Amino acid sequence: MKVNSLLFSTPLGSTYVQATSDQILSIAFPEEEKSDLFTELYYKEAIHEDEYDELAKYPLLLEAKKQFQQYFAGTRCYFKLPYKIYGTPIEQKVYRLLSIVPFGYVISYLSLSQMVGIKSGARFIGSCMKKNPLPLIIPCHRVISNSGKIGGFSAGVGRKKFLLQWEKTNWEMSHESSSVGRWLWYTFKRKNGEQTQTTN
């Protein structure tokens, strides 16, 4: 299985996507100001967004970049990309539930834990969010504390604040224009009850 990667710019900074020919495997945000070996490897091994001829050989990476650009342009409220995510059966269930929390809505760590059948499992949910290899596609930034505090984020709290504010600002437009967004929300409510809220 050959794995390729792309490094491109978004409002979150340098964005790294790793994929096979048919599945997204991971998304990360390497820090340009750091010089550790792990960060250097991101830059060394990845195709850069200005390498047009090379990038054209990898349609899925190209599509991922396109969908990220659409999200940050305010014209896309969900990602439609094939992906592979690993974890225990209960972690997989958490990620499946989280994947249908719509653009512009948030859910608490506690509510999410109760939905997967773990009472008072907020800490477990936090651990799952920290291990999530596909931020934005699996929108762990939409999970906040029961008190309303935003909680942590593997890519940095600053990025989580930005994403929540971005979705709050663009929420009305996305839900007026996207029947898919509304369908996801109603499906989620039917399956799990009134346990999420809008960021507005």
Side-chain angles (χ1 to χ4, degrees), residues 59-171:
L60 183 54
L61 289 176
L62 196 59
E63 179 62 22
K65 179 188 174 185
K66 175 184 174 182
Q67 291 194 23
F68 269 76
Q69 290 173 328
Q70 291 170 336
Y71 172 87
F72 287 113
T75 60
R76 173 175 290 276
C77 58
Y78 69 101
F79 291 89
K80 191 175 181 181
L81 294 165
Y83 61 83
K84 177 72 174 180
I85 195 163
Y86 298 93
T88 65
I90 191 67
E91 288 171 342
Q92 295 276 358
K93 187 175 181 180
V94 169
Y95 294 136
R96 284 196 301 272
L97 279 172
L98 181 56
S99 70
I100 58 172
V101 176
F103 182 107
Y105 288 84
V106 293
I107 186 170
S108 73
Y109 295 96
L110 182 60
S111 292
L112 191 53
S113 73
Q114 291 171 343
M115 288 178 188
V116 297
I118 304 176
K119 293 181 179 180
S120 303
R123 187 168 295 181
F124 170 76
I125 297 298
S127 174
C128 290
M129 300 303 97
K130 187 175 182 179
K131 292 189 287 185
N132 174 20
L134 295 169
L136 273 78
I137 294 177
I138 304 294
C140 51
H141 63 280
R142 295 176 191 156
V143 185
I144 64 173
S145 70
N146 218 36
S147 66
K149 293 181 180 179
I150 70 166
F153 189 49
S154 60
V157 173
R159 289 189 176 100
K160 185 172 186 176
K161 288 180 179 178
F162 176 88
L163 290 168
L164 290 173
Q165 184 58 46
W166 170 254
E167 294 190 356
K168 179 179 180 180
T169 302
N170 289 276
W171 179 85

